[in-house]
Amino acid sequence: CFTFDHCLLTRKGRMSSAMELPTGGFVFENTQRNEWMASNANMSKMPTTKKTGTTIAGIVFKDGVVLGADTRATAGSVVADKNCEKIHYLAPNIFCCGAGTSADCDHVTEMMSNNLSLHRLNTGKECRVVTAVNMLAQMLFRYQGHIGTALVIGGVDVDGPHLFTVWPHGSIDQLPFVTMGSGSLAAMSVFESEYQDNLQREQARDLVRGAIGAGISNDLGSGSNCDITIITRDGVERFRNIDRMGDKWRSAAGFNVPKGTTDYYNEVIKNVVVEDAAAPPML
């Protein structure tokens, strides 16, 4: 018989060899657990996926790629950061916009940036955009969507400008213009109505600014400012807070309310005398 060192206890409670080869395929044992939790446990509602807010977009123009993003980070219904940075560095010729869980986006992009640096050192060549996309997609697919990272990846390599989207489950799209995030529908409406082939640099930049502005104006999860990154063969140009759209409204007359504006029934005024005394003993 096997000793404990050579055995393991599976989820169903049976003993099997640690050297046993996997049978392959997906495991759906948790579906029975979830059904039991929904019917028997004291849970009025099963947990749902967390909704996040962002507007990110990208577009391919004649000489390169333009990426854009808003700068609002939310924690539920609270604005946690009004000026965060959602456009991340991957390589000198590749950048990406992140939507989803902030920690997941930051750590995934930082890890991929390090991996691409090692790739450049090993090969001695500039990374291709499709290399970064495949590495990200393979990593996210392994986690089956539990890493909340949706990315718009743009860059220019030896094959020209490229623009991709990578979804949390690992699926990939390659299109001339893309949007992601909760404000993506408003941003896409701008792209679909005004996009043209072979746009010039300034036209593409202004179109992305308009798309991000539409997302900020029509989505509560997006807001504050607009960041733009332009990638060409000649280099990268970054515009931080190129548009400021989320300033608070302030009345020109001010909010000075005179005394007596609000009626009240009675008023009690008491004088409070504070005397110095020895501090109570500590228990």
Side-chain angles (χ1 to χ4, degrees):
C1 74
F2 291 101
T3 62
F4 183 79
D5 293 335
H6 295 85
C7 298
L8 58 88
L9 186 64
T10 63
R11 296 180 200 176
K12 294 183 178 180
R14 65 177 184 271
M15 301 297 292
S16 63
S17 171
M19 302 301 294
E20 181 181 349
L21 294 177
T23 57
F26 295 103
V27 179
F28 298 97
E29 295 176 356
N30 285 338
T31 57
Q32 299 178 357
R33 180 205 65 180
N34 295 340
E35 292 177 357
W36 177 87
M37 290 176 63
S39 59
N40 300 327
N42 295 326
M43 301 179 65
S44 58
K45 183 179 180 181
M46 291 293 291
T48 58
T49 55
K50 184 177 180 60
K51 183 181 183 301
T52 60
T54 285
T55 300
I56 55 176
I59 193 171
V60 176
F61 68 99
K62 183 178 180 181
D63 300 319
V65 176
V66 180
L67 302 177
D70 72 302
T71 62
R72 171 176 291 181
T74 57
S77 59
V78 177
V79 178
D81 190 348
K82 296 180 181 178
N83 198 26
C84 70
E85 193 168 0
K86 301 181 182 180
I87 303 180
H88 305 274
Y89 168 90
L90 292 181
N93 60 317
I94 307 172
F95 283 75
C96 72
C97 304
T101 306
S102 300
D104 290 347
C105 291
D106 289 344
H107 285 274
V108 166
T109 54
E110 183 178 359
M111 179 184 65
M112 197 53 54
S113 175
N114 296 334
N115 291 341
L116 291 175
S117 297
L118 295 174
H119 188 277
R120 291 196 304 274
L121 292 173
N122 288 331
T123 61
K125 299 180 181 179
E126 181 184 68
C127 293
R128 298 194 180 193
V129 180
V130 69
T131 302
V133 171
N134 287 334
M135 293 170 65
L136 281 165
Q138 289 172 8
M139 190 207 72
L140 292 174
F141 178 76
R142 288 199 301 268
Y143 289 90
Q144 291 294 295
H146 292 287
I147 294 180
T149 301
L151 301 172
V152 172
I153 303 174
V156 179
D157 56 25
V158 294
D159 296 325
H162 303 277
L163 185 65
F164 293 86
T165 58
V166 179
W167 297 84
H169 289 80
S171 58
I172 301 172
D173 296 322
Q174 183 178 14
L175 296 165
F177 56 90
V178 298
T179 63
M180 298 186 85
S182 55
S184 60
L185 294 180
M188 182 57 73
S189 67
V190 175
F191 280 164
E192 290 187 340
S193 62
E194 300 183 20
Y195 174 80
Q196 299 176 358
D197 293 331
N198 297 321
L199 289 170
Q200 298 298 321
R201 179 192 183 100
E202 290 74 17
Q203 292 176 317
R205 183 192 64 185
D206 293 341
L207 185 55
V208 174
R209 290 170 65 180
I212 299 300
I216 291 174
S217 301
N218 296 279
D219 174 45
L220 293 178
S222 307
S224 297
N225 313 314
C226 175
D227 291 345
I228 295 291
T229 296
I230 303 176
I231 310 168
T232 63
R233 291 186 182 276
D234 298 328
V236 178
E237 189 174 5
R238 308 192 70 179
F239 299 91
R240 179 74 167 141
N241 297 343
I242 189 172
D243 293 321
R244 302 182 66 89
M245 305 178 185
D247 292 337
K248 279 188 176 181
W249 178 82
R250 289 179 172 83
S251 172
F255 292 99
N256 297 321
V257 180
K259 185 177 180 179
T261 300
T262 303
D263 295 332
Y264 57 91
Y265 293 103
N266 53 34
E267 181 179 0
V268 177
I269 300 177
K270 294 183 179 181
N271 294 325
V272 179
V273 179
V274 179
E275 297 180 355
D276 293 336
M282 299 296 292
L283 298 178

